[in-house]
Amino acid sequence: LSLDSDIMLVVGSKNSSNTRKLYDICHKNCQQTYLIETLSDAKSVNVEKNILIISGDRKLFEEIEKCFVNQIVDVCYICSVQEAICKIRLKDCCLIILDFASLKQCEDEAIIMIRKYSPVPILVLLSDRSNSNKVSALKSGADNVLEKPFTIEVLLAQIEALLRRYTELNHITCENSEIICYGSLLLDMGRREA
């Protein structure tokens, strides 16, 4: 399993020789292996966040990429929805930005196609200010819509809010429960189950 994984979380006691051996085996095959005992250990794991930008405007991608240079964020640029779906199937991402202002594709169909393969937040950028397009995008599966023109500060605030919601707030549960969600992985710390 560790040979095919981008990240491994080994849940168990740091004093257990079996847990330690499992960690060593996993770490040998997967550099991003973490040994965690508690919820606070899991929260401190710095997992790279991947943002996928689907746009016909390379300048927008470069502006966003420049803002995340010193952070653990990988920004990927793709200029078609079909290509993006291939990428989504190969690599997990935490956020998808769909720039329909520069793409010549049907918005609703593109969002629905992406939703078939990924539950991550989708931020849609529109140049059309009509309410019907915004409502349609949201009903098709977009998490937020931003109208052009906008400032880079507003776009970054939207990106950070959606990343926070997906990566940090995704695991909110009852106060006494220790359940952690990361993408489609669910860890029940109390039962030591994944």
Side-chain angles (χ1 to χ4, degrees):
L1 182 63
S2 61
L3 288 170
D4 298 324
S5 299
D6 294 325
I7 183 170
M8 291 291 298
L9 299 178
V10 177
V11 181
S13 170
K14 293 179 180 175
N15 297 325
S16 165
S17 62
N18 287 338
T19 302
R20 191 77 209 163
K21 286 175 191 172
L22 179 59
Y23 170 82
D24 291 339
I25 291 167
C26 293
H27 190 262
K28 190 169 86 176
N29 298 323
C30 176
Q31 290 301 306
Q32 279 197 321
T33 298
Y34 302 93
L35 176 56
I36 59 173
E37 286 183 297
T38 65
L39 181 60
S40 60
D41 291 341
K43 287 180 180 178
S44 66
V45 173
N46 282 326
V47 177
E48 183 178 270
K49 297 171 184 152
N50 299 303
I51 299 173
L52 181 60
I53 300 174
I54 308 166
S55 175
D57 180 5
R58 187 152 181 92
K59 185 180 175 199
L60 173 69
F61 160 72
E62 289 169 355
E63 284 185 56
I64 295 170
E65 186 181 45
K66 187 171 47 176
C67 295
F68 288 105
V69 166
N70 295 323
Q71 298 182 35
I72 306 173
V73 176
D74 179 35
V75 183
C76 181
Y77 171 77
I78 293 180
C79 56
S80 79
V81 174
Q82 290 76 21
E83 204 179 328
I85 289 171
C86 291
K87 184 80 169 177
I88 291 165
R89 292 172 124 180
L90 295 174
K91 186 175 183 180
D92 286 333
C93 58
C94 296
L95 175 65
I96 296 170
I97 300 173
L98 268 168
D99 181 10
F100 285 119
S102 67
L103 290 173
K104 305 291 184 234
Q105 292 183 299
C106 178
E107 297 151 12
D108 298 344
E109 289 176 18
I111 295 167
I112 291 167
M113 277 195 319
I114 290 170
R115 274 289 171 242
K116 286 181 184 177
Y117 300 101
S118 180
V120 302
I122 298 174
L123 173 60
V124 172
L125 308 179
L126 293 175
S127 58
D128 183 2
R129 294 184 171 273
S130 73
N131 281 339
S132 63
N133 283 351
K134 288 183 244 177
V135 169
S136 181
L138 291 167
K139 284 187 174 186
S140 296
D143 293 276
N144 212 340
V145 176
L146 194 56
E147 297 173 355
K148 286 187 172 186
F150 49 78
T151 64
I152 192 71
E153 292 83 12
V154 170
L155 177 60
L156 290 175
Q158 288 282 344
I159 290 170
E160 289 169 5
L162 289 168
L163 284 174
R164 182 174 56 249
R165 184 181 319 147
Y166 184 72
T167 61
E168 295 170 21
L169 303 179
N170 196 25
H171 65 271
I172 292 177
T173 59
C174 300
E175 210 168 283
N176 297 329
S177 179
E178 290 194 40
I179 295 176
I180 304 163
C181 290
Y182 178 77
S184 61
L185 175 67
L186 179 70
L187 297 175
D188 185 333
M189 300 295 283
R191 294 186 193 157
R192 296 186 184 266
E193 291 179 350

